[in-house]
Amino acid sequence: MKPIHSDKAPAAIGPYSQAISSGAGLVFVSGQLPIDPATGAFPEGGVKEQTRQSLINAASILEAAGLSLKNVVKTTVFLADMADFAAMNEVYAQFFSAPFPARSAVAVKTLPKGALVEIECIAAE
């Protein structure tokens, strides 16, 4: 296993890596909260802005691994409120193109720091 780190994404807020390269052709990106690494805060607005920042963070980590969102084969989207699904999906669709990665989207009771969304992904090297 090889850790992946990007200064263009927020540092891990616990005992985990931003991402891990498995050594078997896969990169596992930890769930990305919508934290702007320049400010340490969530972007102003709602779930659309937070989705955009979460995906920018994931893309920055993938870039550190020499990959991009085009390499993503699976995502998991965690929403604090499933009523935000359509708004999240609208922004999500701007970051991916066909063939789209497989995806799960689930509502959770709460997310760290009160986030509205958190997104993790798996990419193929």
Side-chain angles (χ1 to χ4, degrees):
M1 294 188 332
K2 175 185 161 196
I4 307 294
H5 176 78
S6 172
D7 291 331
K8 295 179 183 177
I13 59 172
Y16 61 90
S17 298
Q18 286 178 326
I20 291 288
S21 174
S22 70
L26 296 175
V27 172
F28 297 84
V29 178
S30 294
Q32 293 302 299
L33 291 172
I35 297 171
D36 181 334
T39 66
F42 294 157
E44 301 254 340
V47 74
K48 287 184 179 183
E49 292 79 11
Q50 289 194 18
T51 299
R52 182 172 287 106
Q53 187 63 56
S54 290
L55 288 168
I56 289 169
N57 292 345
S60 295
I61 294 166
L62 288 169
E63 182 181 308
L67 303 173
S68 75
L69 291 175
K70 291 181 183 198
N71 297 93
V72 173
V73 296
K74 169 74 168 75
T75 64
T76 305
V77 178
F78 302 95
L79 292 166
D81 186 344
M82 195 53 82
D84 287 335
F85 181 84
M88 173 281 299
N89 208 42
E90 182 181 326
V91 174
Y92 181 98
Q94 296 170 9
F95 283 80
F96 295 100
S97 57
F100 297 101
R103 179 178 81 183
S104 300
V106 297
V108 295
K109 185 173 179 178
T110 58
L111 287 166
K113 299 186 175 267
L116 300 175
V117 65
E118 181 176 5
I119 301 172
E120 67 180 20
C121 62
I122 301 168
E125 296 178 295

